[in-house]
């Protein structure tokens, strides 16, 4: 079996793979140009290779991507290629990123960081909030949503969620709402966390009318896909002060262009699609 690893793989790890799976032949590249030259070779591709190229892979049987989101691979729908994802694998580290962003706003750290840069001692304008007095709304309650709820539960935060298919309310949630009550969730949440996949049904789910339904001063967090949000409408609500802020790890266009006004909005925290990333120091386990 021919296996193409579309990732940077350390030589030691590659040697271990070849030893463990001696009936497989491995190649590795991160170059789309190299991939284009090898399209008639792999039976299996591991990694997020460009979907437009993979439609021409004549021998491909199985694509294993490392992300949970599969929206980039609709071009393979209806083909004989089996596509599997990393669903659930990254949920704990993404939830930790969400918790960090939640506490960044709740504890007033953006204000205090600005004071530090200006050598200014100021205890009054941004007194930290009490997490137990806040409501967090999870839009989507899959693997990431469950992990976020688990991390917030010890803080005493009221956590509510909405999802397409209802179930009994899990212990880490205060309320689980049906999907048609999304607007109700938005209206009562101090922080709204987007944790659902992109599809035609969810594209621009958070549009101008829904952004207007958010509470005055609410914070929006997006760790899913940028296309879930109407970014122009989001910027309008941030500039007007209707929203208290946003932490954005994903964008409609990536990399986020240097000219994007989002970079300069003072109430926005931008990270470059790294909520899923973790660096392991020391021995890997």
């Amino acid at each position: 079996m021919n296996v193409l690893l579309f990732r940077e793989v350390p030589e030691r790890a590659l040697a271990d793979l070849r030893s463990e799976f001696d009936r497989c032949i491995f190649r590795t590249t991160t170059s789309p140009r190299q991939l284009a030259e090898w399209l008639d070779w792999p039976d299996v591709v591991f990694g997020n290779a460009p979907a437009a190229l993979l439609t021409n892979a004549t021998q491909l049987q199985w694509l294993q991507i490392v992300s949970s989101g599969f929206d980039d691979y609709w071009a393979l729908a209806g083909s004989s290629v089996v596509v599997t994802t990393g669903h659930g694998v990254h949920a704990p580290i993404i939830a930790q990123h969400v918790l960090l962003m939640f506490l960044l706003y709740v504890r007033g750290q953006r204000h205090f960081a600005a004071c530090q840069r200006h050598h200014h001692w100021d205890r009054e304008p941004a007194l930290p909030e009490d997490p137990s007095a806040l409501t967090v709304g999870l839009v989507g309650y899959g693997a990431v949503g469950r992990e976020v709820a688990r991390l917030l539960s010890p803080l005493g935060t009221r956590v509510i969620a909405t999802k397409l298919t209802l179930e009994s309310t899990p212990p880490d949630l205060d309320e689980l709402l049906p999907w048609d009550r999304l607007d109700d969730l938005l209206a009562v949440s101090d922080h709204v966390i987007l944790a659902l996949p992109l599809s035609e049904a969810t594209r621009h789910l958070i549009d101008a009318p829904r952004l207007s339904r958010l509470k005055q001063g609410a914070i929006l967090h997006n760790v899913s896909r940028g296309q879930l949000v109407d970014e122009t409408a989001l910027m309008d609500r941030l500039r007007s002060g209707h929203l208290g802020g946003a932490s954005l790890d994903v964008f409609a266009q990536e990399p986020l262009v240097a000219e994007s006004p989002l970079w300069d909005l003072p109430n926005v925290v931008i990270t470059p699609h790294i909520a899923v990333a973790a660096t392991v120091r020391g021995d890997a386990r």
Side-chain angles (χ1 to χ4, degrees), residues 16-36:
D16 288 344
L17 284 172
R18 286 170 173 154
S19 175
E20 180 75 16
F21 303 99
D22 57 3
R23 298 179 64 181
C24 295
I25 301 170
F26 292 93
R27 291 181 183 176
T28 180
T29 186
T30 58
S31 166
R33 178 177 297 180
Q34 182 68 82
L35 173 63

Side-chain angles (χ1 to χ4, degrees), residues 141-271:
Y141 191 68
V144 171
R146 288 192 295 271
E147 281 294 317
V148 171
R150 184 181 67 81
L151 293 180
L152 289 175
S153 182
L155 301 180
T157 306
R158 181 171 183 259
V159 183
I160 61 178
T162 182
K163 62 178 297 189
L164 282 171
T165 55
L166 277 184
E167 57 193 55
S168 58
T169 303
D172 288 332
L173 282 185
D174 292 279
E175 191 173 7
L176 182 60
L177 302 175
W179 188 249
D180 60 8
R181 291 189 60 192
L182 170 60
D183 289 349
D184 295 336
L185 177 144
L186 297 177
V188 300
S189 299
D190 300 290
H191 290 249
V192 173
I193 298 164
L194 304 183
L196 72 166
L198 176 66
S199 67
E200 286 308 310
T202 61
R203 189 178 300 274
H204 279 194
L205 176 72
I206 308 300
D207 55 11
R210 285 210 163 102
L211 287 166
S212 296
R213 288 182 179 275
L214 285 165
K215 290 177 66 173
Q216 178 75 32
I219 311 295
L220 180 71
H221 306 269
N222 191 2
V223 290
S224 296
R225 286 292 185 267
Q227 295 92 332
L228 295 173
V229 181
D230 180 338
E231 287 183 352
T232 300
L234 174 62
M235 287 187 283
D236 288 344
R237 298 307 185 277
L238 288 164
R239 290 190 184 106
S240 72
H242 177 75
L243 294 184
S247 73
L248 305 173
D249 187 58
V250 289
F251 305 89
Q253 179 183 346
E254 296 183 2
L256 183 64
V257 296
E259 298 76 23
S260 172
L262 285 169
W263 289 108
D264 298 313
L265 291 178
N267 49 354
V268 173
V269 174
I270 288 175
T271 50

Side-chain angles (χ1 to χ4, degrees), residues 36-59:
E37 294 176 1
W38 287 347
L39 284 177
D40 61 348
W41 183 80
D43 301 299
V44 177
V45 171
F46 178 87
N48 288 41
L53 289 177
L54 294 180
T55 57
N56 298 313
T58 57
Q59 304 299 319

